[in-house]
Amino acid sequence: MQLDQLVFHFNEAKKKFDRGEDTLDSINATVVTCIRLLKSVKTVEEWPGPGKKLYLVYKQGEKLSRPFLKDQLINEKEFQTLWSKFFRSIDREQTTVQMAPLDISKLIYNIVVPFCVCFDLWKSASRKTPGTFFEVVLGTMIAGVLPFSMQRTKHIQLPSDLEKNIPGALPGETIESVSTDIVFQETGKGLVIPAKITTRERIVQPFAHQRILDSVFGIGHYISYLVCVSETQLSNKGRKVQDICVPGTITLFQKHLAKLGGVYYLDPPERYLALSRAGVINISNIGSLFSEDLAEIVKRLNQIQSE
Amino acid sequence: MQLDQLVFHFNEAKKKFDRGEDTLDSINATVVTCIRLLKSVKTVEEWPGPGKKLYLVYKQGEKLSRPFLKDQLINEKEFQTLWSKFFRSIDREQTTVQMAPLDISKLIYNIVVPFCVCFDLWKSASRKTPGTFFEVVLGTMIAGVLPFSMQRTKHIQLPSDLEKNIPGALPGETIESVSTDIVFQETGKGLVIPAKITTRERIVQPFAHQRILDSVFGIGHYISYLVCVSETQLSNKGRKVQDICVPGTITLFQKHLAKLGGVYYLDPPERYLALSRAGVINISNIGSLFSEDLAEIVKRLNQIQSE
């Protein structure tokens, strides 16, 4: 019953998102259903993670959920408080949310991760749905803060000379635009948000896409900010949670492929925070995107002359 | 029984390949076992493909194999004839194989695809093994033609200033080199062979790696030649074989990410051949790599001053 409701609310959110309609009530209903569902799970184990982090792992029959950061766990009432506070604290003129970044992070963690955990336990065949929900949530929340002039889209239109006459193309098939997950743009410049639950071997994609955007539009016109949930993985040996990190690869890509504007995590891996402190690439908690960085990004984009 | 033999011969080939030992007998024994196994399959259907191509689809219980190009089918004796002819026709001084390119293609098709088909029918859980076998076969055959001075490896060593001091790295973890499948190199230059059964969404990888190699070593020092089996997919609606092609994406990558030296297929999709004829990127049948192009590639690498 509650599971049907979860799928119903998610489908509503997705449908509205695709049509450009207000998704907030559907997202809220989705999250509330997830929190209630998870309260019904009888077996919840504590698994230690990197640093001093502690994770909850939900068990349902044979199924293990992905890890849930214990110190982020909140109840339905706390969730509703953070939710209303977020939307009340938006200052669209300054492009900020006037709220503690750690509270913003906690809110977004509790919108996205309970949904992932529910799908692990009861809908594990629908592997792509958590990623889709993550996109809907991020797209909605970022749109709520950005200037109205920035239009959300999924594809960056390439200059028309690139689109025509591709040998081997089927009738009606134009050049595939850079298939970014979320884009906010005005004429010829914008903000690209690849949204990934976890990066793994797909870490190359946002860097390669950034490189193409730099080459097609000139450096600085489109800037990518990769947003991820975490890099955690359950390690059954020793019931531990570990982070799968490739700091060397990221260093190499940032230096020799293209520069990302930054990477945001709902649960940032310790080792990537070290990379960030060393100045290789800006990697931080999702909260700071809303509390500070979006304002900076929009300022930078405004300085670019659009043609 | 024969299936055990297949796994045994494959494991031997892989073990020898990793040690740099002669793998030819093990590869030959692997292929012969596959040809015999496939003769035992009672249900073989004909499915039409793009252009006028006709494919065989093997059925075993519930399992369907990937499509096998009907006009490439040969028996054990024909296979042995092509096999000996190939190795007799190698002119290492000229870096060529003095044999009709279509015969070379047919030989390689019959080394690789029967193995894939057997794994589809009887070992479908081992999803990565066909790709590994493909690497072993290509690495072995290309090594047989190239000058002895070119060393085979899996990783291109990056300049030492890049390797050190990666923040967030674990003890002993150096920067990850560009993880190419097969590399043949001499001091500071070489030939990179990403080997993929099929590209799908991983098509970005070889272009991104080429871009990094261009940036780190200078354009022309390392040249990538992507080698693939096919882009075919079974379409159950209408029992057809179709090619999954992205000519627009390849055009965009070749123009704005990095230039590959070429792409070779065991069964080239029609639409990519059109892309090649239009001069966007060199895409052809695997045979021409051995009969002509390797000589050209080595000549080009020899013109580069190695530091």
Side-chain angles (χ1 to χ4, degrees):
Chain A
M1 254 305 280
Q2 279 196 315
L3 208 55
D4 294 343
Q5 271 177 38
L6 172 58
V7 173
F8 170 80
H9 293 309
F10 161 73
N11 283 338
E12 284 293 294
K14 166 77 175 139
K15 228 184 302 173
K16 291 174 183 169
F17 186 74
D18 289 342
R19 293 196 202 118
E21 294 168 14
D22 185 355
T23 59
L24 287 183
D25 288 349
S26 297
I27 292 176
N28 191 293
T30 306
V31 176
V32 168
T33 316
C34 288
I35 292 178
R36 290 180 190 171
L37 269 164
L38 290 185
K39 268 189 73 178
S40 76
V41 177
K42 297 217 175 59
T43 317
V44 185
E45 295 181 352
E46 287 192 2
W47 292 35
K52 283 176 180 157
K53 291 197 263 191
L54 205 56
Y55 290 90
L56 303 174
V57 175
Y58 292 77
K59 273 187 166 173
Q60 188 73 17
E62 292 290 284
K63 296 268 169 65
L64 281 184
S65 79
R66 72 193 66 192
F68 189 109
L69 255 182
K70 193 184 174 194
D71 70 2
Q72 298 291 297
L73 189 70
I74 54 179
N75 62 30
E76 195 179 322
K77 200 179 145 214
E78 290 166 313
F79 163 70
Q80 294 295 11
T81 306
L82 286 175
W83 173 275
S84 346
K85 192 170 176 194
F86 181 90
F87 292 101
R88 268 200 333 266
S89 309
I90 292 175
D91 179 344
R92 209 188 269 267
E93 211 150 295
Q94 302 295 322
T95 329
T96 60
V97 181
Q98 306 283 0
M99 181 173 165
L102 287 180
D103 280 347
I104 300 175
S105 294
K106 187 176 266 188
L107 169 65
I108 301 179
Y109 194 91
N110 278 282
I111 297 175
V112 176
V113 184
F115 186 88
C116 299
V117 169
C118 285
F119 268 66
D120 290 341
L121 297 180
W122 294 292
K123 290 260 168 202
S124 56
S126 307
R127 295 186 62 175
K128 288 190 167 171
T129 311
T132 307
F133 184 62
F134 187 38
E135 253 178 73
V136 170
V137 169
L138 277 181
T140 298
M141 296 181 81
I142 295 172
V145 182
L146 286 180
F148 290 109
S149 60
M150 302 196 77
Q151 292 291 310
R152 176 169 62 83
T153 168
K154 266 183 101 70
H155 305 287
I156 297 169
Q157 208 55 27
L158 295 172
S160 58
D161 59 316
L162 267 173
E163 284 180 57
K164 290 175 197 144
N165 304 320
I166 308 145
L170 298 177
E173 192 181 59
T174 60
I175 201 161
E176 271 128 297
S177 55
V178 183
S179 74
T180 41
D181 297 323
I182 311 168
V183 185
F184 290 97
Q185 63 179 359
E186 330 183 81
T187 42
K189 59 187 184 182
L191 173 59
V192 180
I193 317 274
K196 313 248 173 253
I197 296 289
T198 191
T199 64
R200 301 293 186 267
E201 70 284 354
R202 290 159 303 152
I203 185 73
V204 67
Q205 286 172 12
F207 289 93
H209 290 162
Q210 180 65 57
R211 169 79 217 172
I212 291 168
L213 294 170
D214 289 348
S215 169
V216 173
F217 296 97
I219 290 179
H221 284 239
Y222 283 91
I223 315 176
S224 301
Y225 296 85
L226 171 62
V227 184
C228 310
V229 175
S230 74
E231 302 293 352
T232 56
Q233 192 179 59
L234 296 184
S235 162
N236 265 309
K237 291 181 207 154
R239 295 184 12 160
K240 273 188 320 192
V241 174
Q242 59 198 18
D243 286 329
I244 308 295
C245 293
V246 287
T249 300
I250 289 183
T251 306
L252 186 65
F253 287 175
Q254 184 76 356
K255 204 160 174 176
H256 288 286
L257 192 44
K259 286 204 190 326
L260 298 191
V263 186
Y264 294 91
Y265 277 95
L266 274 53
D267 173 14
E270 292 296 320
R271 294 165 65 197
Y272 284 169
L273 294 176
L275 202 60
S276 185
R277 281 190 297 270
V280 174
I281 182 172
N282 176 27
I283 302 186
S284 47
N285 212 300
I286 183 74
S288 60
L289 175 65
F290 290 91
S291 67
E292 282 187 51
D293 299 356
L294 273 180
E296 199 51 52
I297 293 164
V298 168
K299 206 185 289 168
R300 232 200 284 175
L301 284 173
N302 280 340
Q303 284 161 359
I304 288 178
Q305 293 299 337
S306 46
E307 40 273 26
Chain B
M1 255 303 281
Q2 279 195 315
L3 208 55
D4 294 342
Q5 272 176 38
L6 172 58
V7 173
F8 171 79
H9 292 309
F10 161 72
N11 284 337
E12 284 293 294
K14 167 74 174 143
K15 228 184 301 174
K16 290 174 183 171
F17 186 74
D18 289 342
R19 292 198 203 118
E21 294 168 12
D22 185 356
T23 58
L24 288 183
D25 289 347
S26 297
I27 292 176
N28 190 294
T30 306
V31 177
V32 168
T33 316
C34 289
I35 293 178
R36 290 178 191 171
L37 269 165
L38 290 186
K39 269 189 72 178
S40 76
V41 177
K42 296 217 174 61
T43 315
V44 185
E45 295 181 353
E46 286 191 2
W47 292 35
K52 283 174 180 159
K53 291 197 263 191
L54 205 56
Y55 288 90
L56 303 175
V57 175
Y58 291 78
K59 272 186 166 173
Q60 188 73 18
E62 292 290 285
K63 295 269 169 65
L64 282 183
S65 78
R66 72 193 67 192
F68 189 108
L69 255 184
K70 194 185 174 194
D71 70 3
Q72 298 292 298
L73 188 71
I74 54 179
N75 62 30
E76 195 178 322
K77 201 180 145 213
E78 290 166 313
F79 163 69
Q80 294 296 11
T81 305
L82 286 174
W83 174 274
S84 345
K85 193 170 174 194
F86 180 90
F87 291 101
R88 270 203 327 269
S89 308
I90 291 175
D91 179 345
R92 208 187 270 265
E93 209 150 295
Q94 301 295 322
T95 327
T96 61
V97 182
Q98 306 283 1
M99 182 174 164
L102 287 180
D103 280 347
I104 299 175
S105 294
K106 187 176 265 186
L107 169 64
I108 300 178
Y109 194 91
N110 278 282
I111 297 176
V112 176
V113 184
F115 185 89
C116 297
V117 169
C118 286
F119 268 66
D120 289 341
L121 298 180
W122 293 292
K123 290 262 168 201
S124 56
S126 307
R127 295 188 62 177
K128 288 191 168 173
T129 312
T132 306
F133 185 62
F134 187 38
E135 255 180 71
V136 170
V137 169
L138 277 181
T140 298
M141 296 181 82
I142 295 172
V145 183
L146 286 179
F148 290 112
S149 59
M150 301 195 78
Q151 293 290 310
R152 177 169 62 82
T153 167
K154 267 182 100 71
H155 304 287
I156 297 169
Q157 208 54 27
L158 296 172
S160 58
D161 59 314
L162 268 172
E163 285 178 58
K164 291 174 196 145
N165 305 321
I166 308 144
L170 298 178
E173 192 181 58
T174 60
I175 201 160
E176 270 127 301
S177 55
V178 184
S179 74
T180 42
D181 298 323
I182 310 168
V183 185
F184 290 97
Q185 64 179 357
E186 329 183 83
T187 42
K189 58 188 184 182
L191 172 61
V192 180
I193 317 274
K196 312 247 174 253
I197 297 288
T198 193
T199 63
R200 300 294 187 268
E201 70 285 351
R202 290 158 304 153
I203 185 72
V204 67
Q205 286 172 9
F207 289 93
H209 290 163
Q210 180 65 57
R211 170 78 217 172
I212 292 168
L213 293 170
D214 290 348
S215 168
V216 173
F217 295 98
I219 290 179
H221 284 239
Y222 283 91
I223 315 175
S224 301
Y225 297 84
L226 171 62
V227 184
C228 310
V229 174
S230 74
E231 301 294 353
T232 56
Q233 191 177 60
L234 296 183
S235 163
N236 265 309
K237 290 181 208 154
R239 295 183 14 158
K240 272 188 320 194
V241 174
Q242 59 198 17
D243 286 329
I244 307 296
C245 293
V246 288
T249 301
I250 288 184
T251 305
L252 185 66
F253 287 176
Q254 183 77 355
K255 206 161 172 173
H256 289 286
L257 192 45
K259 286 201 191 326
L260 298 191
V263 186
Y264 294 92
Y265 276 96
L266 275 52
D267 174 14
E270 293 295 321
R271 294 165 66 197
Y272 283 168
L273 293 177
L275 202 60
S276 185
R277 281 191 297 272
V280 174
I281 181 173
N282 176 27
I283 302 187
S284 47
N285 212 300
I286 182 75
S288 61
L289 176 66
F290 291 91
S291 66
E292 283 186 52
D293 299 356
L294 274 180
E296 199 52 51
I297 293 164
V298 168
K299 207 185 288 168
R300 230 201 283 177
L301 285 174
N302 280 340
Q303 284 161 0
I304 288 176
Q305 296 297 337
S306 46
E307 40 276 23

